[in-house]
Amino acid sequence: MTTSNLLPEVFNVVAGRHVAGRSTFPKVNPADGAVVAQVHEADAEIVDAAVAAARHSLKTWGSSPVGERANLLRRVADRIEARAEEFVEAEIRDTGKPVHLVRELDVARAATNFRSFADTIASAGLDSFMTELADGRQALNYAVNKPLGVVAVIVPWNLPLLLLTWKVAPALACGNTVVVKPSEETPSTATLLAEVIAEAGVPDGVYNVVHGFGPGSAGEHLTTHKDIDGVTFTGESSTGSAIMRAVAPAVRPVSFELGGKNAAVVFADCDLEKTLDGLSRSIFLNTGQVCLCTERVYVERSIFDELANGLVERAKELKLGDPHAAGTTTGPLISDKHREKVQSYLDLAVEEGAEVLVGGGVPQMEGELAHGAWIEPTLWAGLDNSCRVVREEVFGPVAALIPFDTEEEAIDLANDTEYGLAAAVWTTNLERGHRVARSMRVGMAWVNTWYLRDLRSPFGGVGLSGIGREGGLHSLHFYSEPTNICVQL
Ligand code: NAD
């Protein structure tokens, strides 16, 4: 591990001020193993101050006119775009992702998230009902939406800014104030976002940031805090379970986007080239570190070999390397610790009888990159649904290819999981595409595509994959408390 002399410091943000912690922890760039920042950890006192700042700002922000809040959110989007390259560099430093991915996905979506929720809140209506009783009385019911309150926002490291803004934008749109806890692996863009939120004119204390870890650190201090009104969380299913226990005594609402073990079902009548392009993107994008990534591919037996060979070729075309180099398609895993976990699954797959079609190990990288958390894109055959590597989320660039004979069998195999986030169906028979997509026990099913959707549509999972839906009005429902007012006329 190397250390630079001019390390940036990443601070907590409370009521618009940078707050130093009593201790700091190093942030390592996973592309080359260099320490790139020192992060100020929030203890219970700093978390207390952040929650108090959010509580203090709630009265004025929560009662401000909706149109005013929507305009401020649009200005936040403008400021993200104006400082886009700073966000891009911070995100690359934290994650080692290829520059084109950070620019086109993470940072572009952050600005879009603020604009999209500004539009949604500005056009949202209220429920109203007229009651007419048999005795002639009439009453007008109408529901007014109030903010949920002080919301704890806890996010993971795989799409740090994208997932953070996906929660912060609707929370602020609805008049909530927030205390956010980014992942300890990717702290930088949350603090940078505080700057642009202030530049846009959002009052101090509406957006606060605490840095640190989960248990015994900022994450636990926040979720067990008596003065938060709800938790919105994206991360592992087991962490979701711990957070549920933490908020249970105070009966606080939760919105959870959790893990996945997503299936693709490939029929013999698929457009092979398009399917190979789509599948390889769905398995390997962001080094397999997207909750929606495909880790199980069920293939109709008659095209199994052809599809497997094509996918192996696609995997070999991926270019691992310097995140800033134009041709790089694939970055490292997020950390050495995560690579150890992924490697343990590579070993387990072989123990469970996998035939390794491609990859299966750690690649030889040149120069400084040799110190990074790199892993080879990997495909397996010879496994079935009883294997742990086919049942547990690996969260790396890996997939098991498994043959099937009938549509019914494919549906059963795809649904044979405790997770239920996403699925993809590849076929040129659209009737079958609709039918199979509907049969998937998931929150999101694609036909002949992957990771494409309108931001107003519901996003979320069933089973171990989450509680609730986000996106458009679905997000507004979680972040609002309606009060029904009934007036006899
Ligand atoms: P993680 O659960 O380890 O950590 C997520 C966040 O929770 C981090 O900020 C972490 O510090 C915090 N945390 C951990 N323990 C905590 C505790 N006890 N109390 C409070 N906070 C705690 O997840 P990760 O490794 O950062 O992210 C990868 C996981 O996220 C994968 O399972 C992936 O599928 C999932 N994910 C899901 C979605 C989705 O939309 N469904 C999107 C992205 C990632």
Side-chain angles (χ1 to χ4, degrees), residues 154-158 163 181-184 212-215 219-220 223 233-237 239 242-243 257-260 291 393 395 421 459 465:
I154 303 183
V155 285
W157 45 258
N158 62 325
L163 292 172
K181 214 291 288 165
S183 168
E184 54 275 30
F213 305 83
E220 186 179 328
T223 52
F233 167 74
T234 299
E236 280 193 19
S237 304
T239 310
I243 291 175
E257 302 295 349
L258 308 177
C291 55
E393 182 186 47
F395 218 53
L421 191 57
F459 180 100
S465 292

